[in-house]
Each structure stands twice: as C-alpha cells, then as structure tokens.
mmCIF file of all heavy atoms in Angstrom:
data_model
loop_
_atom_site.group_PDB
_atom_site.id
_atom_site.type_symbol
_atom_site.label_atom_id
_atom_site.label_comp_id
_atom_site.label_asym_id
_atom_site.label_seq_id
_atom_site.Cartn_x
_atom_site.Cartn_y
_atom_site.Cartn_z
ATOM 1 N N ARG K 1 14.807 44.818 161.745
ATOM 2 C CA ARG K 1 15.496 44.435 162.981
ATOM 3 C C ARG K 1 15.326 45.530 164.027
ATOM 4 O O ARG K 1 15.107 46.696 163.674
ATOM 5 C CB ARG K 1 16.970 44.192 162.705
ATOM 6 C CG ARG K 1 17.240 42.988 161.801
ATOM 7 C CD ARG K 1 18.701 42.783 161.514
ATOM 8 N NE ARG K 1 18.919 41.562 160.730
ATOM 9 C CZ ARG K 1 19.092 40.365 161.244
ATOM 10 N NH1 ARG K 1 19.107 40.213 162.567
ATOM 11 N NH2 ARG K 1 19.267 39.318 160.478
ATOM 12 N N THR K 2 15.454 45.172 165.249
ATOM 13 C CA THR K 2 15.381 46.156 166.319
ATOM 14 C C THR K 2 16.663 46.982 166.365
ATOM 15 O O THR K 2 17.636 46.665 165.662
ATOM 16 C CB THR K 2 15.193 45.457 167.679
ATOM 17 O OG1 THR K 2 16.346 44.631 167.941
ATOM 18 C CG2 THR K 2 13.950 44.582 167.682
ATOM 19 N N ASP K 3 16.692 48.001 167.185
ATOM 20 C CA ASP K 3 17.906 48.815 167.327
ATOM 21 C C ASP K 3 19.079 47.981 167.828
ATOM 22 O O ASP K 3 20.226 48.305 167.564
ATOM 23 C CB ASP K 3 17.626 49.969 168.301
ATOM 24 C CG ASP K 3 16.702 51.003 167.715
ATOM 25 O OD1 ASP K 3 16.514 51.004 166.475
ATOM 26 O OD2 ASP K 3 16.142 51.806 168.484
ATOM 27 N N ALA K 4 18.767 46.893 168.516
ATOM 28 C CA ALA K 4 19.834 46.006 169.016
ATOM 29 C C ALA K 4 20.367 45.126 167.914
ATOM 30 O O ALA K 4 21.368 44.412 168.090
ATOM 31 C CB ALA K 4 19.299 45.155 170.157
ATOM 32 N N GLY K 5 19.673 45.126 166.739
ATOM 33 C CA GLY K 5 20.162 44.363 165.600
ATOM 34 C C GLY K 5 19.618 42.972 165.426
ATOM 35 O O GLY K 5 20.120 42.197 164.630
ATOM 36 N N TYR K 6 18.558 42.678 166.162
ATOM 37 C CA TYR K 6 17.999 41.318 166.104
ATOM 38 C C TYR K 6 16.690 41.277 165.322
ATOM 39 O O TYR K 6 15.914 42.213 165.334
ATOM 40 C CB TYR K 6 17.759 40.783 167.521
ATOM 41 C CG TYR K 6 19.022 40.665 168.321
ATOM 42 C CD1 TYR K 6 19.323 41.569 169.339
ATOM 43 C CD2 TYR K 6 19.923 39.642 168.077
ATOM 44 C CE1 TYR K 6 20.484 41.471 170.079
ATOM 45 C CE2 TYR K 6 21.088 39.521 168.806
ATOM 46 C CZ TYR K 6 21.372 40.442 169.804
ATOM 47 O OH TYR K 6 22.533 40.342 170.521
ATOM 48 N N GLY K 7 16.469 40.170 164.648
ATOM 49 C CA GLY K 7 15.244 39.964 163.889
ATOM 50 C C GLY K 7 14.242 39.153 164.668
ATOM 51 O O GLY K 7 14.388 38.902 165.841
ATOM 52 N N MET K 8 13.177 38.746 163.965
ATOM 53 C CA MET K 8 12.058 38.075 164.610
ATOM 54 C C MET K 8 12.469 36.848 165.411
ATOM 55 O O MET K 8 11.903 36.583 166.466
ATOM 56 C CB MET K 8 11.009 37.664 163.565
ATOM 57 C CG MET K 8 9.701 37.208 164.180
ATOM 58 S SD MET K 8 8.601 36.354 163.018
ATOM 59 C CE MET K 8 9.208 34.670 163.152
ATOM 60 N N SER K 9 13.456 36.116 164.919
ATOM 61 C CA SER K 9 13.806 34.833 165.550
ATOM 62 C C SER K 9 14.313 34.998 166.971
ATOM 63 O O SER K 9 14.415 33.998 167.704
ATOM 64 C CB SER K 9 14.866 34.110 164.701
ATOM 65 O OG SER K 9 16.042 34.886 164.615
ATOM 66 N N SER K 10 14.627 36.208 167.392
ATOM 67 C CA SER K 10 15.122 36.438 168.741
ATOM 68 C C SER K 10 14.051 36.842 169.735
ATOM 69 O O SER K 10 14.336 37.013 170.933
ATOM 70 C CB SER K 10 16.198 37.533 168.728
ATOM 71 O OG SER K 10 17.310 37.140 167.949
ATOM 72 N N TYR K 11 12.816 36.982 169.264
ATOM 73 C CA TYR K 11 11.778 37.548 170.110
ATOM 74 C C TYR K 11 10.522 36.682 170.199
ATOM 75 O O TYR K 11 10.138 36.000 169.234
ATOM 76 C CB TYR K 11 11.377 38.930 169.571
ATOM 77 C CG TYR K 11 12.502 39.933 169.660
ATOM 78 C CD1 TYR K 11 13.311 40.180 168.564
ATOM 79 C CD2 TYR K 11 12.763 40.599 170.855
ATOM 80 C CE1 TYR K 11 14.354 41.093 168.646
ATOM 81 C CE2 TYR K 11 13.798 41.509 170.944
ATOM 82 C CZ TYR K 11 14.594 41.751 169.833
ATOM 83 O OH TYR K 11 15.620 42.641 169.929
ATOM 84 N N GLY K 12 9.916 36.760 171.359
ATOM 85 C CA GLY K 12 8.591 36.184 171.490
ATOM 86 C C GLY K 12 7.590 37.012 170.687
ATOM 87 O O GLY K 12 7.815 38.199 170.444
ATOM 88 N N MET K 13 6.522 36.360 170.268
ATOM 89 C CA MET K 13 5.493 37.030 169.470
ATOM 90 C C MET K 13 4.127 36.743 170.076
ATOM 91 O O MET K 13 3.919 35.737 170.764
ATOM 92 C CB MET K 13 5.534 36.527 168.032
ATOM 93 C CG MET K 13 6.837 36.767 167.287
ATOM 94 S SD MET K 13 7.167 38.506 166.969
ATOM 95 C CE MET K 13 5.853 38.856 165.812
ATOM 96 N N GLY K 14 3.182 37.632 169.790
ATOM 97 C CA GLY K 14 1.860 37.450 170.342
ATOM 98 C C GLY K 14 0.774 37.897 169.387
ATOM 99 O O GLY K 14 1.034 38.625 168.431
ATOM 100 N N TRP K 15 -0.426 37.419 169.655
ATOM 101 C CA TRP K 15 -1.635 37.858 168.945
ATOM 102 C C TRP K 15 -2.581 38.459 169.962
ATOM 103 O O TRP K 15 -2.769 37.913 171.071
ATOM 104 C CB TRP K 15 -2.321 36.695 168.235
ATOM 105 C CG TRP K 15 -1.651 36.211 166.995
ATOM 106 C CD1 TRP K 15 -0.766 35.186 166.876
ATOM 107 C CD2 TRP K 15 -1.804 36.751 165.683
ATOM 108 N NE1 TRP K 15 -0.350 35.047 165.576
ATOM 109 C CE2 TRP K 15 -0.982 36.003 164.810
ATOM 110 C CE3 TRP K 15 -2.554 37.799 165.129
ATOM 111 C CZ2 TRP K 15 -0.898 36.255 163.448
ATOM 112 C CZ3 TRP K 15 -2.485 38.054 163.777
ATOM 113 C CH2 TRP K 15 -1.645 37.280 162.946
ATOM 114 N N PHE K 16 -3.194 39.566 169.581
ATOM 115 C CA PHE K 16 -4.207 40.247 170.378
ATOM 116 C C PHE K 16 -5.416 40.475 169.475
ATOM 117 O O PHE K 16 -5.325 40.352 168.261
ATOM 118 C CB PHE K 16 -3.699 41.584 170.895
ATOM 119 C CG PHE K 16 -2.625 41.480 171.941
ATOM 120 C CD1 PHE K 16 -1.319 41.127 171.594
ATOM 121 C CD2 PHE K 16 -2.886 41.738 173.271
ATOM 122 C CE1 PHE K 16 -0.324 41.021 172.552
ATOM 123 C CE2 PHE K 16 -1.902 41.643 174.237
ATOM 124 C CZ PHE K 16 -0.620 41.289 173.868
ATOM 125 N N ARG K 17 -6.534 40.834 170.099
ATOM 126 C CA ARG K 17 -7.707 41.168 169.297
ATOM 127 C C ARG K 17 -8.522 42.250 169.985
ATOM 128 O O ARG K 17 -8.446 42.408 171.214
ATOM 129 C CB ARG K 17 -8.567 39.934 169.049
ATOM 130 C CG ARG K 17 -9.248 39.379 170.298
ATOM 131 C CD ARG K 17 -9.987 38.069 169.958
ATOM 132 N NE ARG K 17 -10.669 37.504 171.130
ATOM 133 C CZ ARG K 17 -11.284 36.325 171.133
ATOM 134 N NH1 ARG K 17 -11.295 35.572 170.020
ATOM 135 N NH2 ARG K 17 -11.891 35.886 172.221
ATOM 136 N N GLN K 18 -9.266 42.987 169.177
ATOM 137 C CA GLN K 18 -10.122 44.044 169.722
ATOM 138 C C GLN K 18 -11.468 43.999 169.026
ATOM 139 O O GLN K 18 -11.554 44.206 167.800
ATOM 140 C CB GLN K 18 -9.497 45.427 169.559
ATOM 141 C CG GLN K 18 -10.266 46.517 170.247
ATOM 142 C CD GLN K 18 -9.506 47.820 170.324
ATOM 143 O OE1 GLN K 18 -8.566 48.067 169.567
ATOM 144 N NE2 GLN K 18 -9.870 48.659 171.263
ATOM 145 N N ALA K 19 -12.495 43.706 169.793
ATOM 146 C CA ALA K 19 -13.855 43.701 169.289
ATOM 147 C C ALA K 19 -14.449 45.096 169.370
ATOM 148 O O ALA K 19 -13.991 45.913 170.205
ATOM 149 C CB ALA K 19 -14.712 42.720 170.082
ATOM 150 N N PRO K 20 -15.450 45.410 168.558
ATOM 151 C CA PRO K 20 -16.073 46.747 168.593
ATOM 152 C C PRO K 20 -16.551 47.097 169.992
ATOM 153 O O PRO K 20 -17.245 46.320 170.640
ATOM 154 C CB PRO K 20 -17.233 46.607 167.620
ATOM 155 C CG PRO K 20 -16.836 45.532 166.692
ATOM 156 C CD PRO K 20 -16.064 44.540 167.516
ATOM 157 N N GLY K 21 -16.148 48.274 170.458
ATOM 158 C CA GLY K 21 -16.599 48.750 171.764
ATOM 159 C C GLY K 21 -15.916 48.118 172.950
ATOM 160 O O GLY K 21 -16.311 48.382 174.105
ATOM 161 N N LYS K 22 -14.913 47.276 172.691
ATOM 162 C CA LYS K 22 -14.217 46.606 173.795
ATOM 163 C C LYS K 22 -12.735 46.935 173.786
ATOM 164 O O LYS K 22 -12.183 47.382 172.782
ATOM 165 C CB LYS K 22 -14.427 45.092 173.701
ATOM 166 C CG LYS K 22 -15.868 44.654 173.888
ATOM 167 C CD LYS K 22 -15.990 43.159 173.947
ATOM 168 C CE LYS K 22 -17.420 42.713 174.216
ATOM 169 N NZ LYS K 22 -17.534 41.226 174.293
ATOM 170 N N ASP K 23 -12.083 46.687 174.919
ATOM 171 C CA ASP K 23 -10.649 46.856 174.992
ATOM 172 C C ASP K 23 -9.943 45.760 174.239
ATOM 173 O O ASP K 23 -10.487 44.655 174.040
ATOM 174 C CB ASP K 23 -10.200 46.835 176.457
ATOM 175 C CG ASP K 23 -10.692 48.029 177.241
ATOM 176 O OD1 ASP K 23 -10.959 49.098 176.629
ATOM 177 O OD2 ASP K 23 -10.815 47.914 178.485
ATOM 178 N N ARG K 24 -8.722 46.045 173.831
ATOM 179 C CA ARG K 24 -7.914 45.024 173.176
ATOM 180 C C ARG K 24 -7.559 43.949 174.217
ATOM 181 O O ARG K 24 -7.234 44.276 175.355
ATOM 182 C CB ARG K 24 -6.652 45.640 172.588
ATOM 183 C CG ARG K 24 -5.842 44.689 171.742
ATOM 184 C CD ARG K 24 -4.931 45.435 170.779
ATOM 185 N NE ARG K 24 -4.025 46.348 171.457
ATOM 186 C CZ ARG K 24 -3.209 47.182 170.804
ATOM 187 N NH1 ARG K 24 -3.231 47.241 169.500
ATOM 188 N NH2 ARG K 24 -2.397 47.966 171.507
ATOM 189 N N GLU K 25 -7.616 42.690 173.804
ATOM 190 C CA GLU K 25 -7.316 41.592 174.711
ATOM 191 C C GLU K 25 -6.308 40.640 174.086
ATOM 192 O O GLU K 25 -6.230 40.476 172.864
ATOM 193 C CB GLU K 25 -8.601 40.815 175.064
ATOM 194 C CG GLU K 25 -9.256 40.095 173.908
ATOM 195 C CD GLU K 25 -10.413 39.196 174.333
ATOM 196 O OE1 GLU K 25 -10.644 39.044 175.547
ATOM 197 O OE2 GLU K 25 -11.067 38.632 173.449
ATOM 198 N N TRP K 26 -5.541 40.036 174.950
ATOM 199 C CA TRP K 26 -4.533 39.083 174.530
ATOM 200 C C TRP K 26 -5.193 37.777 174.092
ATOM 201 O O TRP K 26 -6.158 37.337 174.707
ATOM 202 C CB TRP K 26 -3.574 38.848 175.685
ATOM 203 C CG TRP K 26 -2.613 37.719 175.481
ATOM 204 C CD1 TRP K 26 -1.589 37.672 174.579
ATOM 205 C CD2 TRP K 26 -2.588 36.486 176.182
ATOM 206 N NE1 TRP K 26 -0.930 36.473 174.694
ATOM 207 C CE2 TRP K 26 -1.517 35.739 175.680
ATOM 208 C CE3 TRP K 26 -3.368 35.936 177.198
ATOM 209 C CZ2 TRP K 26 -1.210 34.472 176.155
ATOM 210 C CZ3 TRP K 26 -3.050 34.687 177.679
ATOM 211 C CH2 TRP K 26 -1.991 33.957 177.152
ATOM 212 N N VAL K 27 -4.640 37.149 173.049
ATOM 213 C CA VAL K 27 -5.178 35.894 172.543
ATOM 214 C C VAL K 27 -4.183 34.754 172.748
ATOM 215 O O VAL K 27 -4.540 33.703 173.281
ATOM 216 C CB VAL K 27 -5.512 36.015 171.041
ATOM 217 C CG1 VAL K 27 -5.948 34.681 170.475
ATOM 218 C CG2 VAL K 27 -6.591 37.075 170.822
ATOM 219 N N ALA K 28 -2.941 34.939 172.291
ATOM 220 C CA ALA K 28 -1.959 33.867 172.354
ATOM 221 C C ALA K 28 -0.558 34.447 172.270
ATOM 222 O O ALA K 28 -0.362 35.564 171.766
ATOM 223 C CB ALA K 28 -2.186 32.849 171.230
ATOM 224 N N ALA K 29 0.432 33.662 172.717
ATOM 225 C CA ALA K 29 1.820 34.091 172.622
ATOM 226 C C ALA K 29 2.714 32.880 172.434
ATOM 227 O O ALA K 29 2.354 31.762 172.839
ATOM 228 C CB ALA K 29 2.229 34.863 173.880
ATOM 229 N N ILE K 30 3.883 33.137 171.834
ATOM 230 C CA ILE K 30 4.821 32.050 171.534
ATOM 231 C C ILE K 30 6.238 32.562 171.780
ATOM 232 O O ILE K 30 6.570 33.693 171.429
ATOM 233 C CB ILE K 30 4.629 31.547 170.082
ATOM 234 C CG1 ILE K 30 5.485 30.326 169.791
ATOM 235 C CG2 ILE K 30 4.905 32.669 169.081
ATOM 236 C CD1 ILE K 30 5.107 29.624 168.476
ATOM 237 N N SER K 31 7.073 31.707 172.371
ATOM 238 C CA SER K 31 8.454 32.089 172.656
ATOM 239 C C SER K 31 9.279 32.085 171.383
ATOM 240 O O SER K 31 8.826 31.650 170.323
ATOM 241 C CB SER K 31 9.040 31.123 173.669
ATOM 242 O OG SER K 31 9.118 29.828 173.108
ATOM 243 N N TRP K 32 10.514 32.553 171.469
ATOM 244 C CA TRP K 32 11.349 32.717 170.294
ATOM 245 C C TRP K 32 11.563 31.420 169.517
ATOM 246 O O TRP K 32 11.617 31.446 168.284
ATOM 247 C CB TRP K 32 12.710 33.276 170.703
ATOM 248 C CG TRP K 32 13.549 32.292 171.490
ATOM 249 C CD1 TRP K 32 13.514 32.059 172.825
ATOM 250 C CD2 TRP K 32 14.526 31.394 170.952
ATOM 251 N NE1 TRP K 32 14.395 31.078 173.174
ATOM 252 C CE2 TRP K 32 15.034 30.646 172.039
ATOM 253 C CE3 TRP K 32 15.030 31.139 169.682
ATOM 254 C CZ2 TRP K 32 16.015 29.682 171.879
ATOM 255 C CZ3 TRP K 32 16.008 30.179 169.525
ATOM 256 C CH2 TRP K 32 16.491 29.465 170.630
ATOM 257 N N SER K 33 11.653 30.309 170.240
ATOM 258 C CA SER K 33 11.917 29.026 169.587
ATOM 259 C C SER K 33 10.644 28.288 169.198
ATOM 260 O O SER K 33 10.687 27.301 168.475
ATOM 261 C CB SER K 33 12.719 28.135 170.516
ATOM 262 O OG SER K 33 11.924 27.794 171.647
ATOM 263 N N GLY K 34 9.526 28.746 169.732
ATOM 264 C CA GLY K 34 8.271 28.032 169.530
ATOM 265 C C GLY K 34 7.997 26.995 170.585
ATOM 266 O O GLY K 34 6.915 26.378 170.575
ATOM 267 N N ALA K 35 8.927 26.798 171.504
ATOM 268 C CA ALA K 35 8.763 25.759 172.515
ATOM 269 C C ALA K 35 7.694 26.122 173.545
ATOM 270 O O ALA K 35 7.068 25.254 174.139
ATOM 271 C CB ALA K 35 10.078 25.487 173.206
#
C-alpha cells in the first residue's frame, strides 16, 4: 500500500515499454475501476 494506506484498487495503472537504444514510451493506461 502507499503511504496514504491505499492499495492497487485506488489507483490508475499503466504499461510502458523501452526498446533497445530508445526512450521508454507509454503503451496503455487504465483507471482505478477499469472504466
């Protein structure tokens, strides 16, 4: 949990990727509820 006391269900989540020799880039994101 975070210092505020909340677990994953309270936060948006994301996926990023980094190819060789390139900067990390955003791939996808999802809100706390999945909506």
Side-chain angles (χ1 to χ4, degrees):
R1 294 179 176 271
T2 62
D3 290 343
Y6 298 105
M8 191 193 87
S9 62
S10 297
Y11 295 96
M13 299 292 293
W15 285 95
F16 291 75
R17 67 185 181 186
Q18 186 168 21
K22 295 187 177 181
D23 293 335
R24 187 159 57 186
E25 65 173 354
W26 170 68
V27 175
I30 186 168
S31 65
W32 69 275
S33 67

